[in-house]
């Protein structure tokens, strides 16, 4: 009997040559490949002479398939998990399977490769090592704003579809004002790959004039506190009106949003003197 093992295998996000040599070897050798959509995966697998048996594993059958795949692994077989593109479990199915198998003591090996998240992060200008990744944003405007506000102290990366991008950017402008800065990458690793990085107003202008198609990743940069920062002004004003002292306001806004305490303190003092 072979050693049962789950391989979590990253596949390309556009450029088919991004499938690693190790990924090819593993996909050629496993007993079974669990994939999201067999029509999508077959196109890739055929190019590399990979002829393994396929079984569907997608967000609508994750729980049931997890049980079935556990039985396959219990019988001593090897299984690879792939998604339509990129790394499984990153805004893609797989977490339920990995969690269950991990807890049951099954060996799991990740075969790293493309992900829109890491591809994006490694090619845009960044000032900080820290970032938050929130997957896809909620569709409802107020929930979207709530989530982005919660992370406004840190560079926040999210996935978006091209046809919702403009609405989302407008929502960001409404919430954080014109000084908000974003980076947007479209069609990473593909022929029409494009990355833009600017303040939200310019990016909206750009996409109002240019075709917006394909797959998109976005980063909303951490809000910078400055005298002109409308959002911080607004928060300071609200807390001031509630009777909080300048010191309390600086501690509250630092704790909640990571804003610089001294800057907030000065802002709160000046707003109290007005
Ligand atoms: N698991 C994948 C990964 O590791 O990147 C992500 C899957 S998620 C369902 C699909 C989303 O990833 C797309 O809607 C888009 O936001 C982003 N994405 C995938 N491929 C991309 C590409 N080539 N360029 C830009 N964004 C991409």
């Amino acid at each position: 009997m072979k050693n049962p093992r789950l391989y979590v295998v990253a596949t390309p996000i556009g450029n088919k040559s991004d499938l690693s040599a190790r990924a090819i070897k593993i996909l050629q050798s496993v007993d079974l490949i669990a994939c999201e959509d067999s029509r999508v995966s077959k196109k890739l697998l055929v190019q590399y002479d990979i002829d393994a048996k396929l079984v569907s594993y997608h967000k609508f059958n994750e729980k049931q398939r997890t049980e079935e795949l556990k039985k396959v692994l219990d019988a001593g077989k090897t299984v690879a998990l792939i998604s339509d593109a990129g790394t499984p479990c990153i805004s893609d199915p797989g977490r339920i399977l990995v969690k269950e198998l991990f807890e049951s003591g099954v060996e799991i090996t990740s075969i790293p490769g493309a992900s829109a998240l890491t591809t994006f992060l490694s090619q845009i200008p960044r000032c900080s090592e820290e970032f938050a990744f929130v997957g896809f944003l909620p569709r409802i405007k107020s929930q979207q704003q709530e989530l982005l506000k919660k992370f406004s102290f840190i560079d926040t990366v999210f996935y978006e579809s091209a046809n919702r991008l403009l609405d989302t950017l407008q929502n960001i402008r409404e919430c954080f004002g014109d000084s908000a800065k974003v980076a947007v990458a479209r069609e990473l690793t593909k022929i029409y790959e494009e990355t833009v990085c600017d303040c939200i107003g310019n990016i909206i202008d750009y996409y109002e004039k240019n075709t917006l198609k394909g797959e998109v990743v976005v980063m909303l940069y951490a809000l910078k506190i400055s005298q002109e920062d409308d959002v911080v002004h607004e928060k300071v004003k609200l807390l001031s009106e509630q009777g909080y002292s300048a010191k309390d306001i600086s501690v509250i806004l630092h704790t909640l949003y990571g804003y610089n305490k001294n800057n907030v303190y000065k802002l709160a003092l000046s707003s109290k003197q007005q």
Side-chain angles (χ1 to χ4, degrees):
M1 191 159 103
K2 277 194 275 184
N3 283 338
R5 185 178 292 266
L6 174 78
Y7 295 93
V8 182
V9 183
T11 57
I13 55 168
N15 189 320
K16 297 281 177 273
S17 308
D18 289 338
L19 188 66
S20 76
R22 185 168 170 229
I24 297 169
K25 224 159 113 183
I26 295 292
L27 292 172
Q28 283 170 338
S29 69
V30 289
D31 298 303
L32 185 66
I33 298 178
C35 60
E36 262 189 289
D37 181 340
S38 58
R39 288 162 303 181
V40 174
S41 296
K42 261 184 194 155
K43 281 188 200 151
L44 175 76
L45 300 177
V46 132
Q47 285 185 30
Y48 292 97
D49 288 331
I50 297 165
D51 194 21
K53 195 172 161 219
L54 300 182
V55 61
S56 72
Y57 181 91
H58 47 67
K59 63 179 174 186
F60 302 109
N61 70 1
E62 266 192 276
K63 283 214 171 103
Q64 174 212 331
R65 272 289 192 263
T66 292
E67 290 310 310
E68 292 165 17
L69 290 172
K70 255 165 102 176
K71 286 187 190 140
V72 172
L73 287 152
D74 285 346
K77 308 256 187 226
T78 52
V79 176
L81 172 71
I82 58 176
S83 61
D84 284 351
T87 302
C89 309
I90 307 295
S91 291
D92 261 342
R95 275 182 298 131
I96 295 179
L97 181 66
V98 168
K99 182 169 180 290
E100 289 278 321
L101 295 183
F102 189 90
E103 286 166 2
S104 318
V106 175
E107 299 287 345
I108 302 171
T109 300
S110 176
I111 310 296
S115 171
L117 173 65
T118 48
T119 310
F120 175 64
L121 281 172
S122 57
Q123 71 168 47
I124 53 159
R126 288 197 294 142
C127 302
S128 163
E129 195 53 58
E130 296 170 352
F131 68 91
F133 173 62
V134 295
F136 287 95
L137 292 179
R139 300 266 181 102
I140 297 169
K141 195 173 157 185
S142 57
Q143 291 178 0
Q144 222 179 61
Q145 291 198 352
E146 200 178 313
L147 183 81
L148 291 172
K149 275 183 192 164
K150 191 168 128 195
F151 289 101
S152 62
F153 64 96
I154 192 168
D155 294 344
T156 305
V157 182
F158 57 90
Y159 287 157
E160 188 51 288
S161 79
N163 58 7
R164 281 196 302 269
L165 181 66
L166 262 175
D167 282 347
T168 302
L169 294 176
Q170 270 146 1
N171 199 19
I172 290 175
R173 176 158 66 181
E174 189 182 306
C175 187
F176 300 107
D178 281 330
S179 59
K181 188 179 162 194
V182 290
V184 181
R186 214 168 52 79
E187 298 289 81
L188 287 164
T189 79
K190 303 183 194 174
I191 298 173
Y192 297 108
E193 168 169 350
E194 170 193 66
T195 302
V196 286
C197 177
D198 207 333
C199 64
I200 192 94
N202 291 344
I203 299 279
I204 290 174
D205 282 353
Y206 177 78
Y207 282 124
E208 276 172 349
K209 289 178 195 137
N210 291 279
T211 334
L212 188 40
K213 276 194 194 150
E215 298 191 281
V216 178
V217 196
V218 184
M219 182 158 91
L220 171 61
Y221 284 85
L223 281 195
K224 287 227 166 44
I225 180 152
S226 73
Q227 293 291 321
E228 304 86 53
D229 193 324
D230 298 344
V231 179
V232 184
H233 268 280
E234 184 64 18
K235 288 181 176 130
V236 167
K237 195 170 150 246
L238 277 174
L239 291 170
S240 261
E241 284 167 5
Q242 298 291 316
Y244 287 95
S245 69
K247 189 169 173 231
D248 286 345
I249 295 174
S250 69
V251 173
I252 291 169
L253 293 185
H254 172 74
T255 312
L256 288 180
Y257 302 101
Y259 298 149
N260 180 296
K261 258 193 217 164
N262 286 338
N263 290 347
V264 175
Y265 181 72
K266 283 185 216 153
L267 203 61
L269 273 187
S270 69
S271 102
K272 283 189 181 295
Q273 283 155 9
Q274 276 165 18

